[in-house]
């Protein structure tokens, strides 16, 4: 952790809503005149698309049915930890991009399924912003969580996460429900052992909870909307959080525990703006003073 070069880490699995959260952060950065350097979790996958397909086949042939992008060994997390540490110490580092589709290929000049070359960060940033799967990992050999100054978890209840993944993969990737279900099952071991423990390390968690029936996510015909959801916001340390102000400003919200507030799903962006803006400004102000 560094007063001079702060790091914000947003952690959540695919389909959890981290992209929406990133949009909110972008709004705050733009409005407050903050210059971030952004890195994506995909940049730290160990394998490109063809290599990952071959690695999956080899693992399955060897009887390992748990390997996925969620797995620690499927990513170069030592590199991510080192970059967090380097940025905290010097304000410099490097990153690359994983190219998902033809649109990104045209932007980056790299074929889909490949990585762009590693490139140094642009100079003059106020903070480092990470969004991905592993931004709060802490194991016997890794402490990525310990390098970040503000850690945000974005996690829907698991049935909702499955519904979102099924719908996204069928619509955007042409997968069958059965194929997506197989992927979900394969990821469960790493989800329990790699993804979930990170939400104990985060400073604030935003958990979306549908208030409609999602008891069988594999036949759900549509994704529950924001109006059909609540969001539970949990603060690891509630000291200094003005809950009375938040419940007054966010219509329909209430406290469910001494460190938690529940809000209507369609108030998520407002809640993030109210909660995160002063925290980000404090980090940046401390950095500029340092």
């Amino acid at each position: 952790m560094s007063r001079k070069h702060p790091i914000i880490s947003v952690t959540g699995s695919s389909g959890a809503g981290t992209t929406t959260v990133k949009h909110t952060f972008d709004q705050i950065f733009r409005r407050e005149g903050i210059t971030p350097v952004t890195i994506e979790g995909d940049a730290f996958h160990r394998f490109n698309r063809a290599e990952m397909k071959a690695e999956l086949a080899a693992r399955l042939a060897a009887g390992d049915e748990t390997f996925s992008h969620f797995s620690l060994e499927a990513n170069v997390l030592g590199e991510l930890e080192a970059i967090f540490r380097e940025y905290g110490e010097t304000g410099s580092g490097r990153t690359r991009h994983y190219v998902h589709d033809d649109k990104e290929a045209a932007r980056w000049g790299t074929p889909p399924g490949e990585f762009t070359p590693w490139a140094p960060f642009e100079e003059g940033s106020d903070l480092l912003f990470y969004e991905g799967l592993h931004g709060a990992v802490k194991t016997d050999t890794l402490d990525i969580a310990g390098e970040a100054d503000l850690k945000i978890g974005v996690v829907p209840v698991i049935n909702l996460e499955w519904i979102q993944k099924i719908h996204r993969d069928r619509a955007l990737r042409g997968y069958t429900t059965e194929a997506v279900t197989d992927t979900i099952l394969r990821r469960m071991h790493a989800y329990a052992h790699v993804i979930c423990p990170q939400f104990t390390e985060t400073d604030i968690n935003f958990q979306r909870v549908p208030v409609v029936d999602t008891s069988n996510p594999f036949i759900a015909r549509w994704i529950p909307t924001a109006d059909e959801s609540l969001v539970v916001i949990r603060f690891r340390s509630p000291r200094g959080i003005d809950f009375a102000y938040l419940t007054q400003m966010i219509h329909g919200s209430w406290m469910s525990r001494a460190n938690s507030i529940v809000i209507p799903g369609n108030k998520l962006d407002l809640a993030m703006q109210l909660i995160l803006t002063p925290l980000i400004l404090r980090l940046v102000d401390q950095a500029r003073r340092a």
Side-chain angles (χ1 to χ4, degrees):
M1 298 174 68
S2 168
R3 289 176 61 89
K4 192 171 183 180
H5 305 291
I7 298 170
I8 298 175
S9 174
V10 175
T11 298
S13 58
S14 304
T18 50
T19 302
T20 302
V21 174
K22 184 179 183 305
H23 176 71
T24 300
F25 271 96
D26 288 341
Q27 287 182 300
I28 296 172
F29 295 153
R30 182 173 57 252
R31 184 181 66 236
E32 303 297 338
I34 296 168
T35 302
V37 58
T38 300
I39 58 177
E40 304 151 352
D42 290 351
F44 296 88
H45 288 334
R46 186 177 300 277
F47 307 107
N48 64 24
R49 187 172 295 165
E51 291 168 344
M52 186 64 176
K53 186 176 180 179
E55 184 70 16
L56 278 171
R59 297 262 181 165
L60 287 171
D64 180 0
E65 298 182 359
T66 67
F67 186 72
S68 73
H69 279 126
F70 287 15
S71 305
L72 295 177
E73 60 269 29
N75 299 273
V76 287
L77 298 183
E79 181 76 23
L80 177 61
E81 181 184 33
I83 288 171
F84 271 26
R85 183 178 300 115
E86 180 182 357
Y87 185 85
E89 293 173 354
T90 68
S92 61
R94 65 173 188 160
T95 192
R96 61 182 178 178
H97 299 278
Y98 177 77
V99 180
H100 295 87
D101 51 35
D102 291 335
K103 183 178 179 181
E104 292 185 5
R107 177 184 179 186
W108 298 111
T110 300
E114 298 286 344
F115 296 101
T116 63
W118 290 99
F121 293 159
E122 293 186 6
E123 296 182 0
S125 63
D126 293 307
L127 56 81
L128 173 63
F129 179 83
Y130 167 91
E131 181 261 309
L133 291 170
H134 300 100
V137 164
K138 186 175 183 179
T139 70
D140 291 340
T141 57
L142 289 168
D143 189 8
I144 297 171
E147 300 294 337
D149 300 273
L150 176 61
K151 298 176 288 293
I152 308 296
V154 184
V155 51
V157 293
I158 198 161
N159 276 18
L160 177 56
E161 182 165 340
W162 290 349
I163 291 171
Q164 291 179 150
K165 178 164 181 58
I166 290 167
H167 280 252
R168 186 193 62 178
D169 283 6
R170 287 195 313 188
L172 299 181
R173 300 177 181 177
Y175 293 174
T176 64
T177 299
E178 291 74 20
V180 185
T181 301
D182 287 343
T183 299
I184 290 170
L185 292 173
R186 178 165 46 81
R187 287 179 169 181
M188 282 307 298
H189 183 273
Y191 190 87
H193 292 88
V194 176
I195 304 299
C196 288
Q198 294 183 76
F199 300 123
T200 305
E201 302 295 330
T202 46
D203 299 301
I204 307 171
N205 284 335
F206 295 87
Q207 184 175 44
R208 186 174 160 206
V209 182
V211 290
V212 294
D213 184 15
T214 61
S215 52
N216 186 351
F218 303 101
I219 64 167
R221 300 175 69 178
W222 52 78
I223 300 171
T225 66
D227 288 329
E228 297 172 327
S229 306
L230 298 172
V231 176
V232 180
I233 307 171
R234 189 274 295 175
F235 298 85
R236 186 179 187 183
S237 174
R239 182 178 300 173
I241 303 298
D242 191 342
F243 286 102
Y245 170 75
L246 292 175
T247 53
Q248 180 182 5
M249 294 296 293
I250 305 170
H251 181 71
S253 64
W254 73 93
M255 289 187 68
S256 58
R257 283 187 176 177
N259 66 342
S260 301
I261 182 173
V262 182
I263 65 169
N266 57 13
K267 300 293 186 181
L268 177 59
D269 182 72
L270 173 62
M272 286 187 164
Q273 299 272 356
L274 292 172
I275 293 167
L276 297 175
T277 298
L279 298 178
I280 295 169
L281 288 176
R282 188 182 310 156
L283 285 175
V284 173
D285 182 62
Q286 289 175 348
R288 290 173 175 171
R289 289 175 183 272

